[in-house]
Amino acid sequence: MSRLVNPHGGGELKPLLLEGDALAAEKARAQSLKQVKMSSRETGDLIMMGIGGFTPLDGFMTHSDWLGICDGYKMANGLFWPIPVTLSTDDETVKAGDEVALVSDEGEIMGTMKITEKYEIDKAHECMQVYKTTDDAHPGVKMVMAQGKYNLAGPVKVLSDGGFKAKYGEQFMTPAETRAKFESMGWSRVAAFQTRNPMHRSHEYLAKIAIETMDGVLVHSLLGALKPGDIPAEVRSEAIATLVENYFAPNTVIQAGYPLDMRYAGPREALLHALFRQNYGCSHLIVGRDHAGVGDYYGPFDAQKIFDEIPKGSLETVNMNIDWTFWCKKCGGMASQRTCPHTKDDRILLSGTKVRSMLSEGQDLPVEFSRPEVAKVLQKYYAGLSAEENVKVELKGHSAA
């Protein structure tokens, strides 16, 4: 019997990606169906349903699901869910009862869907409830406001992983694969470390704190779309692998990736991160400063506080809260506000955004920011960018710390 946490909802993993003859038959049938174009975010959500990362969902959500999640974290069936997983369109001709092919931005047929409901939403309401703002400078708000006029609900059949396995190989692990890996290593207490950045010294410190009390850490990198100026997944993966090889004990870290786009929803996204890490088999989610945040839309520890605000038992995966971490000159190493008695003048506060800003401006990284081996990987990437590609990173809010 497995000692890992149960998939969300308490049942078995529910991957919706077809295989073998069923896949071939549905692909052929999809060619004759009316097509609905998906955004990058919607495509990532569909792939997550395909690999079982969004267990136990069987498709895109209804209006009752949408409203229940926005206002109370619950789908119509009572299942806890923190952010709506919806599909939108401006197509006036599609209607409930239609079967459609779901097509990515690149034109690939990714799945099929039986439409059970077509409905409109109050986009501003979703933005306020999920993102705590309607400011269209917020990238998550911008995504919601750019959605089509209608949402489409219904069960899906997934036909593709979007090429993630071909592109990333062993790093693109499904929930079934991470669970099998944890079992083979004898792990049951596994902390997930969420990142959209290369791992700098503060990230390394967080992961090592977790390793002291856990069987191991899953460094789980986002492989989907980011905002301009963020470092691409391939570069991040190389930087993380370099850090793990040089600075972590063997058999304590597994690096993997998942196919979602960032929503930048701060506290609500932290809950989503915990939910799907439960499906991947992780018992804990490391939650540090400004988890999944952007700019100064959220307080630095709002993503930790929200776990105390949801109904008890909503998730089996629990948060591992870690305080503000930094390099302290007097301590001579990494520390946190809970362990360091010195003043802010002695502390060098680190963030992924600050590292990216320095790199984009051609500055060397101090050893307090990043291990030399990691810095070399990142410097090589930035040196190869054209002036147009080298997006200047603006430091705002907590990211400027």
Side-chain angles (χ1 to χ4, degrees):
M1 183 176 176
S2 175
R3 296 186 298 137
L4 298 173
V5 290
N6 294 305
H8 188 51
E12 300 292 319
L13 283 176
K14 192 175 179 180
L16 304 180
L17 181 62
L18 300 182
E19 298 178 338
D21 292 343
L23 175 61
E26 192 66 10
K27 277 186 172 181
R29 193 177 76 89
Q31 297 295 327
S32 63
L33 299 177
K34 184 178 181 65
Q35 294 189 351
V36 171
K37 298 281 188 181
M38 295 186 295
S39 68
S40 177
R41 191 272 298 163
E42 291 163 347
T43 300
D45 289 350
L46 182 71
I47 296 169
M48 277 292 271
M49 286 188 266
I51 63 176
F54 276 171
T55 296
L57 298 188
D58 61 5
F60 288 104
M61 293 178 171
T62 67
H63 184 271
S64 294
D65 293 329
W66 172 84
L67 186 61
I69 290 167
C70 287
D71 293 351
Y73 303 101
K74 282 189 177 182
M75 296 176 61
N77 64 5
L79 182 72
F80 174 83
W81 206 277
I83 297 179
V85 178
T86 56
L87 173 68
S88 73
T89 186
D90 283 317
D91 192 331
E92 298 281 351
T93 66
V94 294
K95 59 187 183 301
D98 287 352
E99 291 196 72
V100 295
L102 305 177
V103 182
S104 70
D105 282 339
E106 291 75 30
E108 180 185 1
I109 296 178
M110 299 293 299
T112 60
M113 176 179 176
K114 176 69 178 286
I115 300 173
T116 58
E117 185 180 358
K118 182 180 182 180
Y119 61 96
E120 296 183 47
I121 63 166
D122 181 342
K123 294 180 183 179
H125 182 72
E126 177 174 337
C127 291
M128 278 306 302
Q129 296 298 93
V130 174
Y131 299 97
K132 302 301 181 188
T133 180
T134 55
D135 182 359
D136 59 11
H138 185 295
V141 170
K142 189 174 181 180
M143 260 193 292
V144 173
M145 299 310 289
Q147 289 174 186
K149 179 179 179 181
Y150 305 103
N151 279 3
L152 304 176
V156 299
K157 295 176 182 177
V158 184
L159 307 180
S160 171
D161 70 1
F164 279 96
K165 196 69 170 179
K167 184 173 183 179
Y168 295 103
E170 292 182 356
Q171 187 184 346
F172 183 69
M173 300 178 74
T174 67
E177 289 169 339
T178 55
R179 285 174 169 270
K181 184 69 172 177
F182 299 159
E183 296 273 16
S184 72
M185 297 180 76
W187 292 5
S188 61
R189 288 171 54 81
V190 185
F193 180 75
Q194 154 73 30
T195 185
R196 67 178 192 261
N197 299 308
M199 289 178 71
H200 56 70
R201 294 294 297 271
S202 185
H203 293 132
E204 177 188 339
Y205 184 62
L206 296 178
K208 286 181 172 176
I209 290 172
I211 288 170
E212 292 289 354
T213 58
M214 299 281 123
D215 296 323
V217 166
L218 174 68
V219 175
H220 213 199
S221 300
L222 180 138
L223 300 178
L226 296 159
K227 57 183 172 57
D230 284 347
I231 292 173
E234 312 89 85
V235 181
R236 275 184 279 126
S237 298
E238 182 183 354
I240 292 168
T242 299
L243 179 70
V244 171
E245 180 181 350
N246 287 281
Y247 292 99
F248 282 83
N251 301 317
T252 59
V253 176
I254 295 169
Q255 185 187 178
Y258 66 98
L260 290 182
D261 290 6
M262 276 297 294
R263 286 168 160 90
Y264 301 96
R268 287 260 192 160
E269 193 156 6
L271 295 175
L272 185 67
H273 287 164
L275 185 156
F276 70 75
R277 269 31 177 273
Q278 183 175 324
N279 288 329
Y280 278 87
C282 299
S283 58
H284 292 73
L285 174 71
I286 299 169
V287 185
R289 178 176 67 104
D290 201 28
H291 185 106
V294 62
D296 55 4
Y297 291 100
Y298 314 109
F301 297 105
D302 284 357
Q304 296 181 354
K305 296 172 185 173
I306 199 169
F307 283 86
D308 296 326
E309 299 167 6
I310 61 175
K312 191 172 182 179
S314 297
L315 295 167
E316 285 190 43
T317 295
V318 298
N319 50 312
M320 175 183 281
N321 294 342
I322 301 180
D323 211 325
W324 206 311
T325 58
F326 44 79
W327 181 278
C328 174
K329 299 170 191 173
K330 283 189 176 177
C331 290
M334 297 301 302
S336 76
Q337 290 190 140
R338 285 182 60 84
T339 61
C340 173
H342 304 122
T343 68
K344 64 179 182 180
D345 294 334
D346 300 309
R347 299 170 179 176
I348 301 174
L349 297 172
L350 314 175
S351 75
T353 307
K354 181 169 281 190
V355 173
R356 293 195 304 274
S357 178
M358 294 180 69
L359 288 166
S360 70
E361 294 169 1
Q363 299 179 37
D364 288 332
L365 294 181
V367 294
E368 296 89 354
F369 265 5
S370 190
R371 298 290 190 181
E373 297 89 344
V374 173
K376 286 180 182 177
V377 172
L378 302 179
Q379 286 164 341
K380 179 181 176 183
Y381 162 69
Y382 273 94
L385 294 180
S386 66
E388 292 76 20
E389 292 171 322
N390 195 347
V391 177
K392 181 169 172 35
V393 177
E394 184 179 356
L395 299 180
K396 290 182 178 179
H398 311 300
S399 297

